[in-house]
Amino acid sequence: MRIAIRHTSRYQYEQPVPYALQRLRLRPQSGAGQTVLDWQVTVDGVAPALGWTDGLGNRVELVRHERNKREIEIVAAGTVDTCDLAGIYGVTNETAPPWIYERETPLTHAGERVQALAADLRAGHGQLESLHKLMNAIHGLIAYRPGTTGVGTDAETALREGCGVCQDHAHAFIAVARRLGVPARYISGYLLMEDVVQQSASHAWAEAYVEGLGWVGFDAANDKCPDERYVRMATGLDYRDAMPVSGVRSGAGAETLTVEITVTQLQGQTQSQG
């Protein structure tokens, strides 16, 4: 499947900003299940000058603003060919070994609900079966409800409140998987959805390392393993490692962020039904 993506982030400031430093993770890489045909990242129409690959394998770009700005527009756009691997990303030659992703973080700490869910899944199931059951369980325990959680919401809180967005589903899955002793990581990216072209946020899901298979994706928000409609962008221990844009700025006044994302299938390619 050939997918075209355009991701626009527009930062508007109440007062002019004399200095800002932004770190971008907006560049997907070719790998199992996806081939990037073309991709461009621009900030106010100019390509970032400094970039590198971090320790988790993400392509990172750094942008510095030194003028009194009231608006910054970041656009990431391109075309990616994908194929369905039944959610199996596989064994890769990455710098970070799987055991790195066993580490608990503030967003994935094991509170009472995480521990209880892990205990329910620990007995009587094989590893892969337990992970599928975990995905099913989280899908049922956390209702998809935008606006009820924020970027700082941890897995335990999302499970307690019973609502959230894809970020919360991913964190809950990761927290329980790690409690089960399974390396698990956060994936940010894009999802081609039925009859939805305009989106207000990128997508997120989790991957767990399964013996004999390698990394396997689990999208608890949609209760399914990723297929050809998914495009991976960045990887992390949690959202903070994979967030599309992060940074610091000087100056007073409020900041407003508007995100516009279009994900479309190009003509001549057949879309599967999900």
Side-chain angles (χ1 to χ4, degrees):
M1 178 180 292
R2 184 157 297 177
I3 299 174
I5 300 163
R6 184 176 180 86
H7 180 167
T8 302
S9 301
R10 188 172 294 107
Y11 292 83
Q12 295 176 306
Y13 303 101
E14 190 176 38
Q15 299 293 332
V17 174
Y19 176 83
L21 188 66
Q22 292 177 314
R23 182 171 51 203
L24 316 180
R25 294 184 184 88
L26 286 166
R27 195 176 289 276
Q29 304 297 299
S30 294
Q34 68 182 46
T35 300
V36 180
L37 301 180
D38 60 85
W39 197 268
Q40 185 176 29
V41 177
T42 60
V43 182
D44 294 334
V46 179
L50 178 62
W52 68 94
T53 301
D54 69 14
L56 301 178
N58 303 314
R59 186 62 185 169
V60 183
E61 291 165 302
L62 195 65
V63 180
R64 183 173 62 184
H65 309 273
E66 295 184 300
R67 296 174 291 159
N68 289 325
K69 308 200 73 171
R70 284 187 175 270
E71 181 175 300
I72 297 173
E73 184 179 82
I74 303 168
V75 179
T79 309
V80 182
D81 270 352
T82 63
C83 62
D84 186 359
L85 298 179
I88 302 173
Y89 189 65
V91 179
T92 59
N93 296 319
E94 298 173 355
T95 302
W99 56 261
I100 288 289
Y101 297 99
E102 295 178 18
R103 192 178 74 192
E104 185 178 280
T105 70
L107 292 176
T108 62
H109 76 274
E112 291 182 2
R113 283 169 175 78
V114 169
Q115 294 179 46
L117 192 49
D120 288 343
L121 293 166
R122 186 169 282 115
H125 307 298
Q127 187 182 57
L128 185 59
E129 183 184 0
S130 292
L131 293 170
H132 277 285
K133 286 182 178 296
L134 172 58
M135 177 177 67
N136 302 153
I138 290 173
H139 180 75
L141 291 169
I142 301 177
Y144 181 77
R145 198 172 299 158
T148 57
T149 56
V151 295
T153 302
D154 61 23
E156 184 70 14
T157 300
L159 285 168
R160 182 177 65 249
E161 298 297 326
C163 58
V165 293
C166 57
Q167 172 183 308
D168 304 299
H169 291 92
H171 282 153
F173 182 97
I174 291 166
V176 178
R178 289 175 181 166
R179 187 69 179 176
L180 292 169
V182 179
R185 61 189 186 181
Y186 185 99
I187 307 295
S188 69
Y190 303 100
L191 171 60
L192 177 66
M193 295 188 288
E194 296 284 353
D195 303 320
V196 178
V197 174
Q198 297 287 342
Q199 303 176 28
S200 59
S202 55
H203 195 48
W205 60 98
E207 286 181 348
Y209 196 83
V210 178
E211 294 298 330
L213 293 176
W215 291 106
V216 180
F218 296 90
D219 180 5
N222 289 295
D223 201 20
K224 65 173 296 179
C225 291
D227 56 22
E228 73 274 14
R229 294 177 297 172
Y230 291 69
V231 174
R232 303 169 84 260
M233 183 165 61
T235 302
L237 289 167
D238 58 27
Y239 166 76
R240 290 170 180 163
D241 288 332
M243 58 194 304
V245 183
S246 60
V248 296
R249 66 179 175 94
S250 61
E255 172 188 279
T256 301
L257 170 62
T258 303
V259 176
E260 299 172 358
I261 298 174
T262 60
V263 183
T264 57
Q265 180 187 351
L266 295 186
Q267 289 184 343
Q269 300 292 317
T270 301
Q271 181 174 332
S272 67
Q273 300 298 310

